[in-house]
Amino acid sequence: MLGHILLTAVNAVAPIVLLIALGYWLKKRKLLDGNFLKTANWLVFHVCLPAMLFVNVYSIESITNVRWDIIGYCVVAITVLFVIGWGLGVTGTKDRTRIGAIWQCTFRSNFAIIGLPLAQSLGGDAGAAMAAVLSAFTIPFFNFYSIAALSVYTGKRKNFWATVKNIFTNPLTIGVLAGIGALLLRAAQIALFDKVVFSLERDLPFLHKTLENLKAITSPLALIVLGGQSEFSAVRGM
């Protein structure tokens, strides 16, 4: 039993680690340069990830299938870690300028790039869809809490409404909200006509296929870029 669990974990995590390692190796061999990594990072964040999040949410059969108990659990867990992180930041360093960074690192994760492919590996399409919906709630909390953590000890205050605007114009948030909007539209059609009158895959198959293709390249490209942007030499200097 333990061996099976271990094998499952390795099979889920190893492809992610290997793609990150590949990106780092390609950079070290000078096959990837800074300009490419910068452009590819922009493409992943502004185009590929939103498309993947939309498709994952859109693949949910009904808005009623969303697990609100899991969403609630994750929001509470992030909040608890936010509080714990403050204590670790204050006790972990005497340098006031570093407290905010330490605090942020205790609760913020690279959910979109690593969490989503991991959910896909462990839970299949259902796991990826749930993780995509979850990101609609976790991303705003990550952003709000991160701004709070970094502002308290740097003295740099940000306008509340500007922060809200940044969160809801975030490409990842837009992708998830568009997917939820599609689910609500589907539910409205069933309520009014007892059937789905319009569907993306049936009525606009070329667009649906394009989004599926973008989804297919998202995780591999994002992980390779993440590896290419990694600088382990910076850790030695700390």
Side-chain angles (χ1 to χ4, degrees):
M1 182 65 179
L2 181 60
H4 176 71
I5 294 174
L6 181 61
L7 183 62
T8 301
V10 170
N11 287 334
V13 175
I16 296 173
V17 175
L18 289 175
L19 282 172
I20 295 173
L22 175 62
Y24 183 76
W25 180 79
L26 289 172
K27 182 192 68 173
K28 287 299 183 183
R29 292 293 303 270
K30 301 188 184 304
L31 297 173
L32 299 179
D33 62 15
N35 288 331
F36 172 84
L37 292 171
K38 182 179 179 180
T39 302
N41 186 64
W42 187 96
L43 177 66
V44 166
F45 184 73
H46 288 86
V47 179
C48 296
L49 275 173
M52 182 178 75
L53 290 168
F54 173 82
V55 171
N56 286 346
V57 175
Y58 184 78
S59 66
I60 298 174
E61 291 186 6
S62 171
I63 194 71
T64 58
N65 292 343
V66 175
R67 292 287 303 274
W68 297 104
D69 55 335
I70 295 177
I71 291 172
Y73 171 82
C74 291
V75 169
V76 170
I78 293 169
T79 303
V80 170
L81 289 173
F82 174 76
V83 175
I84 293 174
W86 174 77
L88 294 174
V90 171
T91 59
T93 180
K94 293 181 180 179
D95 186 347
R96 185 179 176 86
T97 61
R98 290 189 175 185
I99 293 177
I102 295 173
W103 188 359
Q104 180 187 215
C105 287
T106 60
F107 65 85
R108 186 162 193 169
S109 67
N110 207 336
F111 181 75
I113 294 178
I114 295 179
L116 290 175
L118 186 59
Q120 175 80 45
S121 296
L122 292 172
D125 290 338
M130 183 64 228
V133 174
L134 190 59
S135 66
F137 298 87
T138 57
I139 289 172
F141 271 90
F142 284 147
N143 288 341
F144 269 124
Y145 285 161
S146 295
I147 291 169
L150 295 173
S151 298
V152 169
Y153 290 99
T154 61
K156 297 180 180 178
R157 308 293 179 181
K158 292 195 175 183
N159 180 275
F160 174 78
W161 292 113
T163 301
V164 172
K165 179 182 177 181
N166 287 338
I167 289 172
F168 285 97
T169 55
N170 184 300
L172 307 188
T173 305
I174 291 173
V176 174
L177 293 180
I180 292 175
L183 289 183
L184 293 174
L185 178 61
R186 186 187 303 160
Q189 292 179 74
I190 293 173
L192 291 172
F193 308 108
D194 291 326
K195 64 179 182 179
V196 177
V197 178
F198 171 84
S199 69
L200 193 63
E201 60 270 37
R202 185 187 66 220
D203 299 300
L204 294 174
F206 64 91
L207 179 57
H208 185 260
K209 182 61 177 177
T210 300
L211 293 171
E212 287 279 2
N213 288 338
L214 286 172
K215 173 188 172 180
I217 68 171
T218 299
S219 292
L221 180 59
L223 293 170
I224 288 173
V225 171
L226 178 62
Q229 292 180 326
S230 298
E231 289 291 348
F232 296 104
S233 58
V235 178
R236 292 195 296 269
M238 296 181 64

